[in-house]
Amino acid sequence: MIKTWLYSIRWKFLFYALVSAAVTAATLYMGQLIFNFLVEFQPFRTPFAFLKNKYGSALAYYIAPILFLVLFFVFSNRTVLRLQELEAAVQRIGSGELRNPGELTVSKDELGQAAAGIHEMAGRLSDYLEAITEGLGRIAGGRFDQPIDVDNSYGELAKVAASINEMAAQLYHSIEEERNAEKTKNDLITGVSHDLRTPLTSVLGFLEVIEQDRYQDEVELRHYVAIAYEKAQKLKALIDDLFEYTRINNGLPLELEALDLVGFLRQLAEEFVPHLDRAGMSCRIDAADTPVLIHADGTLLVRSFENLIVNAINYGGQGDYVDIAVHREGGDAVVQIINYGDPIPGRDLPFIFDRFYRGDRSRSSGGTGLGLAIVKSIVEVHGGAITASSSTKRTVFESRFPLAPSM
């Protein structure tokens, strides 16, 4: 048993000896590599040559890795500290402290260049954010004509600046629309007041004359009554137009049905024959024999085209005809009401569909100033659009409606 134990001990010592020899050899080999590496640098060349010559290569090879480790920890500790500075600066920038990212060691090496880059980046971001803040201040102060400069080199911040500019433009547009709506409302009140007061004053004046018996005979009495009646009729026409305009624009329910515009307008033209005869005019219809179908509220559409035809008769008297053309164009049904009278002045043309616009040609359907505004509202509630063009040859009111889907 003792012999077996001694035999085991011998093999363990042999194993440890081999391991020790291997470690020693590896250490000497690594020491030689590190020695050869360090001796290339001028500060280490002379002392290492002295150690090798005086104490031998083995000692030099042992000292070299120890010195390498010491130098590694000394320099790596400095690098770690600088990396910690950079990390702290990035965290402060991330929390919004762009003006004070902290003290950073700036040098010519890579970490120094990174520190300088962080300083420059923080400064640029801070300057651009300050510009955005100033821009928001201008917007808050109502100066919408001074947008923020959009510098695409700032990436996402540039998108923020562009979005703010877009928001400011939309806000300005909304404010302008609100101002225009307020002005339009005031103009409407002024127009209604004027148009109501003028005939009402006449009605009251003539009724006062009648009530106080200040007429000479029955003939003069009937004359005053006729004038008062005429002015009252104008008042009624204005009130009816106001009511209809408001009703249409407040979203009245439509009773839609399939409507053939060709047959519809032929019938409507027949109803205007007496009116056309009195004006010394006639109506020509240019349309194919095939139906042009749309979905529409016939009662409303009658009012729209009545206004347009009356307008064409009233202002086209110098011509001999009122022309009505109906045709298809793409997915639209197109209706043109054409007269050959004096042209609409160019300064009035863009505004003739505005309610109470005071251009002479905007006064249709009895002169309430709402005729063409009602026409435009009726066309638009049917999903259509209306335009006007005018030259010395002819004036055209063109309405477009979506065609009814094919059955």
Side-chain angles (χ1 to χ4, degrees), residues 150-195:
V150 178
D151 188 342
N152 291 323
S153 65
Y154 286 95
E156 296 299 322
L157 277 181
K159 292 181 181 178
V160 171
S163 297
I164 291 173
N165 287 341
E166 184 179 354
M167 177 199 70
Q170 291 177 350
L171 182 60
Y172 176 73
H173 181 67
S174 298
I175 291 174
E176 285 299 304
E177 282 188 341
E178 184 67 25
R179 287 173 179 169
N180 289 335
E182 184 67 21
K183 182 179 182 299
T184 302
K185 183 186 73 173
N186 292 335
D187 290 345
L188 175 63
I189 293 172
T190 301
V192 170
S193 300
H194 175 271
D195 286 1

mmCIF file of all heavy atoms in Angstrom, residues 150-195:
data_model
loop_
_atom_site.group_PDB
_atom_site.id
_atom_site.type_symbol
_atom_site.label_atom_id
_atom_site.label_comp_id
_atom_site.label_asym_id
_atom_site.label_seq_id
_atom_site.Cartn_x
_atom_site.Cartn_y
_atom_site.Cartn_z
ATOM 1 N N VAL A 150 -35.015 75.662 -42.207
ATOM 2 C CA VAL A 150 -34.937 74.199 -42.159
ATOM 3 C C VAL A 150 -33.574 73.772 -42.699
ATOM 4 O O VAL A 150 -33.285 73.938 -43.884
ATOM 5 C CB VAL A 150 -36.070 73.554 -42.984
ATOM 6 C CG1 VAL A 150 -35.940 72.042 -42.968
ATOM 7 C CG2 VAL A 150 -37.426 73.977 -42.430
ATOM 8 N N ASP A 151 -32.713 73.255 -41.813
ATOM 9 C CA ASP A 151 -31.378 72.764 -42.178
ATOM 10 C C ASP A 151 -31.416 71.241 -42.135
ATOM 11 O O ASP A 151 -31.446 70.635 -41.058
ATOM 12 C CB ASP A 151 -30.338 73.317 -41.197
ATOM 13 C CG ASP A 151 -28.912 72.999 -41.629
ATOM 14 O OD1 ASP A 151 -28.740 72.090 -42.464
ATOM 15 O OD2 ASP A 151 -27.973 73.645 -41.121
ATOM 16 N N ASN A 152 -31.414 70.618 -43.309
ATOM 17 C CA ASN A 152 -31.555 69.165 -43.379
ATOM 18 C C ASN A 152 -30.394 68.404 -42.758
ATOM 19 O O ASN A 152 -30.495 67.193 -42.546
ATOM 20 C CB ASN A 152 -31.736 68.728 -44.838
ATOM 21 C CG ASN A 152 -33.075 69.176 -45.400
ATOM 22 O OD1 ASN A 152 -34.082 69.175 -44.698
ATOM 23 N ND2 ASN A 152 -33.087 69.586 -46.661
ATOM 24 N N SER A 153 -29.281 69.095 -42.465
ATOM 25 C CA SER A 153 -28.154 68.409 -41.826
ATOM 26 C C SER A 153 -28.480 68.025 -40.385
ATOM 27 O O SER A 153 -27.742 67.242 -39.772
ATOM 28 C CB SER A 153 -26.905 69.298 -41.857
ATOM 29 O OG SER A 153 -27.099 70.474 -41.076
ATOM 30 N N TYR A 154 -29.564 68.554 -39.834
ATOM 31 C CA TYR A 154 -29.945 68.225 -38.461
ATOM 32 C C TYR A 154 -30.908 67.045 -38.384
ATOM 33 O O TYR A 154 -31.400 66.725 -37.311
ATOM 34 C CB TYR A 154 -30.567 69.446 -37.777
ATOM 35 C CG TYR A 154 -29.562 70.510 -37.409
ATOM 36 C CD1 TYR A 154 -29.324 71.573 -38.265
ATOM 37 C CD2 TYR A 154 -28.837 70.441 -36.234
ATOM 38 C CE1 TYR A 154 -28.398 72.554 -37.954
ATOM 39 C CE2 TYR A 154 -27.912 71.422 -35.907
ATOM 40 C CZ TYR A 154 -27.687 72.464 -36.765
ATOM 41 O OH TYR A 154 -26.768 73.432 -36.447
ATOM 42 N N GLY A 155 -31.216 66.419 -39.515
ATOM 43 C CA GLY A 155 -32.004 65.191 -39.506
ATOM 44 C C GLY A 155 -33.397 65.376 -38.935
ATOM 45 O O GLY A 155 -34.217 66.136 -39.450
ATOM 46 N N GLU A 156 -33.671 64.689 -37.821
ATOM 47 C CA GLU A 156 -35.009 64.707 -37.220
ATOM 48 C C GLU A 156 -35.398 66.094 -36.746
ATOM 49 O O GLU A 156 -36.574 66.468 -36.820
ATOM 50 C CB GLU A 156 -35.070 63.710 -36.047
ATOM 51 C CG GLU A 156 -34.879 62.258 -36.450
ATOM 52 C CD GLU A 156 -35.950 61.783 -37.415
ATOM 53 O OE1 GLU A 156 -37.113 62.187 -37.253
ATOM 54 O OE2 GLU A 156 -35.620 61.025 -38.343
ATOM 55 N N LEU A 157 -34.437 66.871 -36.251
ATOM 56 C CA LEU A 157 -34.756 68.233 -35.819
ATOM 57 C C LEU A 157 -35.207 69.086 -37.008
ATOM 58 O O LEU A 157 -36.070 69.952 -36.862
ATOM 59 C CB LEU A 157 -33.543 68.881 -35.149
ATOM 60 C CG LEU A 157 -33.329 68.560 -33.667
ATOM 61 C CD1 LEU A 157 -32.106 69.299 -33.152
ATOM 62 C CD2 LEU A 157 -34.549 68.931 -32.836
ATOM 63 N N ALA A 158 -34.609 68.835 -38.179
ATOM 64 C CA ALA A 158 -35.043 69.557 -39.370
ATOM 65 C C ALA A 158 -36.495 69.211 -39.703
ATOM 66 O O ALA A 158 -37.271 70.074 -40.117
ATOM 67 C CB ALA A 158 -34.127 69.226 -40.547
ATOM 68 N N LYS A 159 -36.872 67.930 -39.515
ATOM 69 C CA LYS A 159 -38.264 67.536 -39.746
ATOM 70 C C LYS A 159 -39.190 68.234 -38.757
ATOM 71 O O LYS A 159 -40.309 68.630 -39.109
ATOM 72 C CB LYS A 159 -38.404 66.025 -39.614
ATOM 73 C CG LYS A 159 -37.698 65.239 -40.716
ATOM 74 C CD LYS A 159 -37.904 63.745 -40.524
ATOM 75 C CE LYS A 159 -37.191 62.942 -41.606
ATOM 76 N NZ LYS A 159 -37.359 61.481 -41.401
ATOM 77 N N VAL A 160 -38.731 68.382 -37.505
ATOM 78 C CA VAL A 160 -39.524 69.105 -36.500
ATOM 79 C C VAL A 160 -39.728 70.557 -36.937
ATOM 80 O O VAL A 160 -40.837 71.100 -36.869
ATOM 81 C CB VAL A 160 -38.838 69.044 -35.121
ATOM 82 C CG1 VAL A 160 -39.533 69.970 -34.133
ATOM 83 C CG2 VAL A 160 -38.844 67.614 -34.584
ATOM 84 N N ALA A 161 -38.636 71.197 -37.399
ATOM 85 C CA ALA A 161 -38.733 72.589 -37.846
ATOM 86 C C ALA A 161 -39.686 72.713 -39.030
ATOM 87 O O ALA A 161 -40.511 73.631 -39.095
ATOM 88 C CB ALA A 161 -37.352 73.119 -38.218
ATOM 89 N N ALA A 162 -39.584 71.759 -39.989
ATOM 90 C CA ALA A 162 -40.478 71.790 -41.151
ATOM 91 C C ALA A 162 -41.928 71.594 -40.725
ATOM 92 O O ALA A 162 -42.840 72.254 -41.246
ATOM 93 C CB ALA A 162 -40.060 70.713 -42.155
ATOM 94 N N SER A 163 -42.159 70.705 -39.758
ATOM 95 C CA SER A 163 -43.525 70.477 -39.267
ATOM 96 C C SER A 163 -44.074 71.724 -38.584
ATOM 97 O O SER A 163 -45.253 72.058 -38.730
ATOM 98 C CB SER A 163 -43.536 69.295 -38.294
ATOM 99 O OG SER A 163 -43.150 68.101 -38.944
ATOM 100 N N ILE A 164 -43.212 72.416 -37.836
ATOM 101 C CA ILE A 164 -43.650 73.650 -37.170
ATOM 102 C C ILE A 164 -44.017 74.703 -38.213
ATOM 103 O O ILE A 164 -45.030 75.406 -38.088
ATOM 104 C CB ILE A 164 -42.552 74.174 -36.224
ATOM 105 C CG1 ILE A 164 -42.387 73.227 -35.022
ATOM 106 C CG2 ILE A 164 -42.875 75.579 -35.739
ATOM 107 C CD1 ILE A 164 -41.226 73.566 -34.130
ATOM 108 N N ASN A 165 -43.187 74.812 -39.269
ATOM 109 C CA ASN A 165 -43.503 75.769 -40.337
ATOM 110 C C ASN A 165 -44.825 75.433 -41.013
ATOM 111 O O ASN A 165 -45.632 76.326 -41.313
ATOM 112 C CB ASN A 165 -42.379 75.776 -41.378
ATOM 113 C CG ASN A 165 -41.125 76.467 -40.877
ATOM 114 O OD1 ASN A 165 -41.169 77.236 -39.915
ATOM 115 N ND2 ASN A 165 -40.006 76.176 -41.501
ATOM 116 N N GLU A 166 -45.048 74.137 -41.250
ATOM 117 C CA GLU A 166 -46.307 73.722 -41.861
ATOM 118 C C GLU A 166 -47.489 74.023 -40.940
ATOM 119 O O GLU A 166 -48.537 74.499 -41.388
ATOM 120 C CB GLU A 166 -46.252 72.225 -42.171
ATOM 121 C CG GLU A 166 -47.485 71.703 -42.890
ATOM 122 C CD GLU A 166 -47.389 70.223 -43.213
ATOM 123 O OE1 GLU A 166 -46.314 69.636 -42.975
ATOM 124 O OE2 GLU A 166 -48.391 69.649 -43.684
ATOM 125 N N MET A 167 -47.300 73.743 -39.641
ATOM 126 C CA MET A 167 -48.352 74.053 -38.676
ATOM 127 C C MET A 167 -48.649 75.545 -38.652
ATOM 128 O O MET A 167 -49.812 75.969 -38.609
ATOM 129 C CB MET A 167 -47.918 73.588 -37.290
ATOM 130 C CG MET A 167 -48.896 73.924 -36.165
ATOM 131 S SD MET A 167 -48.121 73.861 -34.533
ATOM 132 C CE MET A 167 -47.036 75.290 -34.615
ATOM 133 N N ALA A 168 -47.571 76.365 -38.701
ATOM 134 C CA ALA A 168 -47.760 77.821 -38.684
ATOM 135 C C ALA A 168 -48.511 78.286 -39.921
ATOM 136 O O ALA A 168 -49.386 79.152 -39.835
ATOM 137 C CB ALA A 168 -46.401 78.516 -38.594
ATOM 138 N N ALA A 169 -48.176 77.684 -41.083
ATOM 139 C CA ALA A 169 -48.863 78.058 -42.320
ATOM 140 C C ALA A 169 -50.350 77.699 -42.248
ATOM 141 O O ALA A 169 -51.215 78.482 -42.651
ATOM 142 C CB ALA A 169 -48.202 77.373 -43.514
ATOM 143 N N GLN A 170 -50.638 76.498 -41.719
ATOM 144 C CA GLN A 170 -52.045 76.091 -41.596
ATOM 145 C C GLN A 170 -52.784 76.971 -40.587
ATOM 146 O O GLN A 170 -53.950 77.325 -40.794
ATOM 147 C CB GLN A 170 -52.109 74.625 -41.178
ATOM 148 C CG GLN A 170 -51.635 73.659 -42.250
ATOM 149 C CD GLN A 170 -51.631 72.222 -41.787
ATOM 150 O OE1 GLN A 170 -51.803 71.940 -40.598
ATOM 151 N NE2 GLN A 170 -51.410 71.295 -42.698
ATOM 152 N N LEU A 171 -52.081 77.305 -39.502
ATOM 153 C CA LEU A 171 -52.697 78.182 -38.496
ATOM 154 C C LEU A 171 -52.988 79.553 -39.081
ATOM 155 O O LEU A 171 -54.064 80.126 -38.853
ATOM 156 C CB LEU A 171 -51.768 78.299 -37.287
ATOM 157 C CG LEU A 171 -52.262 79.146 -36.107
ATOM 158 C CD1 LEU A 171 -53.561 78.584 -35.552
ATOM 159 C CD2 LEU A 171 -51.207 79.211 -35.009
ATOM 160 N N TYR A 172 -52.017 80.064 -39.857
ATOM 161 C CA TYR A 172 -52.224 81.366 -40.504
ATOM 162 C C TYR A 172 -53.403 81.305 -41.466
ATOM 163 O O TYR A 172 -54.233 82.228 -41.510
ATOM 164 C CB TYR A 172 -50.953 81.777 -41.239
ATOM 165 C CG TYR A 172 -51.082 83.056 -42.030
ATOM 166 C CD1 TYR A 172 -51.131 84.290 -41.397
ATOM 167 C CD2 TYR A 172 -51.163 83.024 -43.416
ATOM 168 C CE1 TYR A 172 -51.268 85.468 -42.114
ATOM 169 C CE2 TYR A 172 -51.294 84.193 -44.148
ATOM 170 C CZ TYR A 172 -51.342 85.408 -43.491
ATOM 171 O OH TYR A 172 -51.476 86.558 -44.219
ATOM 172 N N HIS A 173 -53.463 80.193 -42.226
ATOM 173 C CA HIS A 173 -54.578 80.022 -43.167
ATOM 174 C C HIS A 173 -55.909 79.978 -42.424
ATOM 175 O O HIS A 173 -56.895 80.597 -42.858
ATOM 176 C CB HIS A 173 -54.369 78.740 -43.964
ATOM 177 C CG HIS A 173 -55.438 78.474 -44.971
ATOM 178 N ND1 HIS A 173 -55.635 79.256 -46.095
ATOM 179 C CD2 HIS A 173 -56.401 77.512 -45.018
ATOM 180 C CE1 HIS A 173 -56.643 78.782 -46.787
ATOM 181 N NE2 HIS A 173 -57.136 77.728 -46.163
ATOM 182 N N SER A 174 -55.934 79.257 -41.288
ATOM 183 C CA SER A 174 -57.173 79.167 -40.511
ATOM 184 C C SER A 174 -57.573 80.528 -39.950
ATOM 185 O O SER A 174 -58.757 80.891 -39.960
ATOM 186 C CB SER A 174 -56.994 78.164 -39.365
ATOM 187 O OG SER A 174 -56.731 76.874 -39.853
ATOM 188 N N ILE A 175 -56.569 81.269 -39.477
ATOM 189 C CA ILE A 175 -56.863 82.602 -38.929
ATOM 190 C C ILE A 175 -57.394 83.524 -40.030
ATOM 191 O O ILE A 175 -58.356 84.287 -39.826
ATOM 192 C CB ILE A 175 -55.607 83.197 -38.274
ATOM 193 C CG1 ILE A 175 -55.269 82.423 -36.996
ATOM 194 C CG2 ILE A 175 -55.805 84.674 -37.952
ATOM 195 C CD1 ILE A 175 -53.974 82.836 -36.349
ATOM 196 N N GLU A 176 -56.762 83.431 -41.226
ATOM 197 C CA GLU A 176 -57.222 84.253 -42.342
ATOM 198 C C GLU A 176 -58.644 83.867 -42.749
ATOM 199 O O GLU A 176 -59.469 84.733 -43.060
ATOM 200 C CB GLU A 176 -56.274 84.111 -43.532
ATOM 201 C CG GLU A 176 -54.963 84.848 -43.363
ATOM 202 C CD GLU A 176 -55.170 86.342 -43.205
ATOM 203 O OE1 GLU A 176 -55.802 86.953 -44.095
ATOM 204 O OE2 GLU A 176 -54.733 86.906 -42.176
ATOM 205 N N GLU A 177 -58.915 82.559 -42.751
ATOM 206 C CA GLU A 177 -60.280 82.118 -43.061
ATOM 207 C C GLU A 177 -61.272 82.644 -42.036
ATOM 208 O O GLU A 177 -62.388 83.057 -42.384
ATOM 209 C CB GLU A 177 -60.332 80.594 -43.119
ATOM 210 C CG GLU A 177 -59.779 79.992 -44.392
ATOM 211 C CD GLU A 177 -60.039 78.505 -44.482
ATOM 212 O OE1 GLU A 177 -60.309 77.878 -43.433
ATOM 213 O OE2 GLU A 177 -59.984 77.963 -45.598
ATOM 214 N N GLU A 178 -60.856 82.618 -40.778
ATOM 215 C CA GLU A 178 -61.740 83.127 -39.723
ATOM 216 C C GLU A 178 -61.978 84.623 -39.896
ATOM 217 O O GLU A 178 -63.105 85.116 -39.752
ATOM 218 C CB GLU A 178 -61.103 82.852 -38.356
ATOM 219 C CG GLU A 178 -61.967 83.252 -37.169
ATOM 220 C CD GLU A 178 -63.220 82.403 -37.049
ATOM 221 O OE1 GLU A 178 -63.221 81.255 -37.533
ATOM 222 O OE2 GLU A 178 -64.206 82.892 -36.469
ATOM 223 N N ARG A 179 -60.903 85.335 -40.240
ATOM 224 C CA ARG A 179 -61.055 86.781 -40.470
ATOM 225 C C ARG A 179 -61.964 87.047 -41.671
ATOM 226 O O ARG A 179 -62.811 87.945 -41.638
ATOM 227 C CB ARG A 179 -59.683 87.412 -40.713
ATOM 228 C CG ARG A 179 -58.820 87.514 -39.459
ATOM 229 C CD ARG A 179 -57.428 87.987 -39.803
ATOM 230 N NE ARG A 179 -56.595 88.125 -38.618
ATOM 231 C CZ ARG A 179 -55.278 88.316 -38.646
ATOM 232 N NH1 ARG A 179 -54.658 88.401 -39.818
ATOM 233 N NH2 ARG A 179 -54.589 88.425 -37.528
ATOM 234 N N ASN A 180 -61.749 86.250 -42.741
ATOM 235 C CA ASN A 180 -62.590 86.428 -43.925
ATOM 236 C C ASN A 180 -64.047 86.085 -43.619
ATOM 237 O O ASN A 180 -64.969 86.744 -44.123
ATOM 238 C CB ASN A 180 -62.070 85.545 -45.064
ATOM 239 C CG ASN A 180 -60.754 86.046 -45.624
ATOM 240 O OD1 ASN A 180 -60.444 87.230 -45.527
ATOM 241 N ND2 ASN A 180 -59.969 85.149 -46.198
ATOM 242 N N ALA A 181 -64.226 85.016 -42.794
ATOM 243 C CA ALA A 181 -65.592 84.650 -42.421
ATOM 244 C C ALA A 181 -66.250 85.767 -41.611
ATOM 245 O O ALA A 181 -67.429 86.087 -41.811
ATOM 246 C CB ALA A 181 -65.586 83.347 -41.621
ATOM 247 N N GLU A 182 -65.461 86.364 -40.706
ATOM 248 C CA GLU A 182 -65.998 87.465 -39.912
ATOM 249 C C GLU A 182 -66.324 88.663 -40.798
ATOM 250 O O GLU A 182 -67.372 89.304 -40.646
ATOM 251 C CB GLU A 182 -64.973 87.875 -38.847
ATOM 252 C CG GLU A 182 -65.442 88.958 -37.894
ATOM 253 C CD GLU A 182 -66.565 88.491 -36.981
ATOM 254 O OE1 GLU A 182 -66.728 87.260 -36.798
ATOM 255 O OE2 GLU A 182 -67.287 89.348 -36.448
ATOM 256 N N LYS A 183 -65.408 88.932 -41.752
ATOM 257 C CA LYS A 183 -65.659 90.047 -42.676
ATOM 258 C C LYS A 183 -66.887 89.758 -43.543
ATOM 259 O O LYS A 183 -67.720 90.647 -43.784
ATOM 260 C CB LYS A 183 -64.432 90.272 -43.560
ATOM 261 C CG LYS A 183 -64.584 91.443 -44.531
ATOM 262 C CD LYS A 183 -63.318 91.628 -45.348
ATOM 263 C CE LYS A 183 -63.452 92.821 -46.291
ATOM 264 N NZ LYS A 183 -64.550 92.650 -47.254
ATOM 265 N N THR A 184 -66.977 88.497 -44.016
ATOM 266 C CA THR A 184 -68.131 88.129 -44.832
ATOM 267 C C THR A 184 -69.427 88.259 -44.043
ATOM 268 O O THR A 184 -70.449 88.720 -44.564
ATOM 269 C CB THR A 184 -67.967 86.681 -45.337
ATOM 270 O OG1 THR A 184 -66.757 86.572 -46.079
ATOM 271 C CG2 THR A 184 -69.134 86.282 -46.224
ATOM 272 N N LYS A 185 -69.365 87.835 -42.771
ATOM 273 C CA LYS A 185 -70.564 87.965 -41.927
ATOM 274 C C LYS A 185 -70.952 89.432 -41.774
ATOM 275 O O LYS A 185 -72.139 89.788 -41.896
ATOM 276 C CB LYS A 185 -70.295 87.341 -40.555
ATOM 277 C CG LYS A 185 -71.508 87.372 -39.634
ATOM 278 C CD LYS A 185 -71.160 86.884 -38.245
ATOM 279 C CE LYS A 185 -70.344 87.917 -37.501
ATOM 280 N NZ LYS A 185 -70.121 87.549 -36.083
ATOM 281 N N ASN A 186 -69.937 90.282 -41.524
ATOM 282 C CA ASN A 186 -70.235 91.704 -41.381
ATOM 283 C C ASN A 186 -70.761 92.293 -42.692
ATOM 284 O O ASN A 186 -71.679 93.124 -42.688
ATOM 285 C CB ASN A 186 -68.976 92.460 -40.940
ATOM 286 C CG ASN A 186 -68.555 92.092 -39.530
ATOM 287 O OD1 ASN A 186 -69.378 91.664 -38.717
ATOM 288 N ND2 ASN A 186 -67.282 92.236 -39.228
ATOM 289 N N ASP A 187 -70.139 91.840 -43.814
ATOM 290 C CA ASP A 187 -70.625 92.323 -45.114
ATOM 291 C C ASP A 187 -72.055 91.855 -45.360
ATOM 292 O O ASP A 187 -72.873 92.587 -45.937
ATOM 293 C CB ASP A 187 -69.716 91.813 -46.236
ATOM 294 C CG ASP A 187 -68.349 92.475 -46.218
ATOM 295 O OD1 ASP A 187 -68.210 93.510 -45.539
ATOM 296 O OD2 ASP A 187 -67.421 91.944 -46.865
ATOM 297 N N LEU A 188 -72.340 90.602 -44.939
ATOM 298 C CA LEU A 188 -73.692 90.077 -45.110
ATOM 299 C C LEU A 188 -74.697 90.907 -44.312
ATOM 300 O O LEU A 188 -75.759 91.286 -44.822
ATOM 301 C CB LEU A 188 -73.742 88.616 -44.667
ATOM 302 C CG LEU A 188 -75.123 87.946 -44.677
ATOM 303 C CD1 LEU A 188 -75.669 87.901 -46.102
ATOM 304 C CD2 LEU A 188 -75.053 86.552 -44.079
ATOM 305 N N ILE A 189 -74.345 91.197 -43.070
ATOM 306 C CA ILE A 189 -75.238 91.997 -42.225
ATOM 307 C C ILE A 189 -75.444 93.383 -42.842
ATOM 308 O O ILE A 189 -76.563 93.908 -42.912
ATOM 309 C CB ILE A 189 -74.674 92.108 -40.806
ATOM 310 C CG1 ILE A 189 -74.688 90.735 -40.120
ATOM 311 C CG2 ILE A 189 -75.475 93.118 -39.980
ATOM 312 C CD1 ILE A 189 -73.976 90.702 -38.789
ATOM 313 N N THR A 190 -74.315 93.972 -43.328
ATOM 314 C CA THR A 190 -74.412 95.293 -43.949
ATOM 315 C C THR A 190 -75.279 95.237 -45.205
ATOM 316 O O THR A 190 -76.143 96.097 -45.428
ATOM 317 C CB THR A 190 -73.007 95.807 -44.309
ATOM 318 O OG1 THR A 190 -72.218 95.870 -43.124
ATOM 319 C CG2 THR A 190 -73.081 97.189 -44.941
ATOM 320 N N GLY A 191 -75.024 94.195 -46.042
ATOM 321 C CA GLY A 191 -75.795 94.067 -47.277
ATOM 322 C C GLY A 191 -77.267 93.838 -47.012
ATOM 323 O O GLY A 191 -78.130 94.464 -47.649
ATOM 324 N N VAL A 192 -77.566 92.938 -46.065
ATOM 325 C CA VAL A 192 -78.968 92.660 -45.747
ATOM 326 C C VAL A 192 -79.636 93.909 -45.180
ATOM 327 O O VAL A 192 -80.775 94.252 -45.550
ATOM 328 C CB VAL A 192 -79.068 91.486 -44.756
ATOM 329 C CG1 VAL A 192 -80.492 91.344 -44.232
ATOM 330 C CG2 VAL A 192 -78.623 90.191 -45.424
ATOM 331 N N SER A 193 -78.932 94.590 -44.290
ATOM 332 C CA SER A 193 -79.499 95.800 -43.690
ATOM 333 C C SER A 193 -79.810 96.833 -44.760
ATOM 334 O O SER A 193 -80.879 97.458 -44.756
ATOM 335 C CB SER A 193 -78.529 96.383 -42.664
ATOM 336 O OG SER A 193 -78.279 95.457 -41.630
ATOM 337 N N HIS A 194 -78.859 97.007 -45.679
ATOM 338 C CA HIS A 194 -79.062 98.002 -46.736
ATOM 339 C C HIS A 194 -80.230 97.605 -47.642
ATOM 340 O O HIS A 194 -81.118 98.411 -47.940
ATOM 341 C CB HIS A 194 -77.779 98.143 -47.555
ATOM 342 C CG HIS A 194 -77.912 99.054 -48.730
ATOM 343 N ND1 HIS A 194 -78.331 98.616 -49.971
ATOM 344 C CD2 HIS A 194 -77.686 100.393 -48.854
ATOM 345 C CE1 HIS A 194 -78.352 99.628 -50.806
ATOM 346 N NE2 HIS A 194 -77.963 100.723 -50.166
ATOM 347 N N ASP A 195 -80.212 96.313 -48.068
ATOM 348 C CA ASP A 195 -81.232 95.881 -49.015
ATOM 349 C C ASP A 195 -82.621 95.782 -48.392
ATOM 350 O O ASP A 195 -83.628 95.895 -49.095
ATOM 351 C CB ASP A 195 -80.855 94.535 -49.625
ATOM 352 C CG ASP A 195 -79.736 94.680 -50.648
ATOM 353 O OD1 ASP A 195 -79.277 95.814 -50.849
ATOM 354 O OD2 ASP A 195 -79.331 93.660 -51.240
#
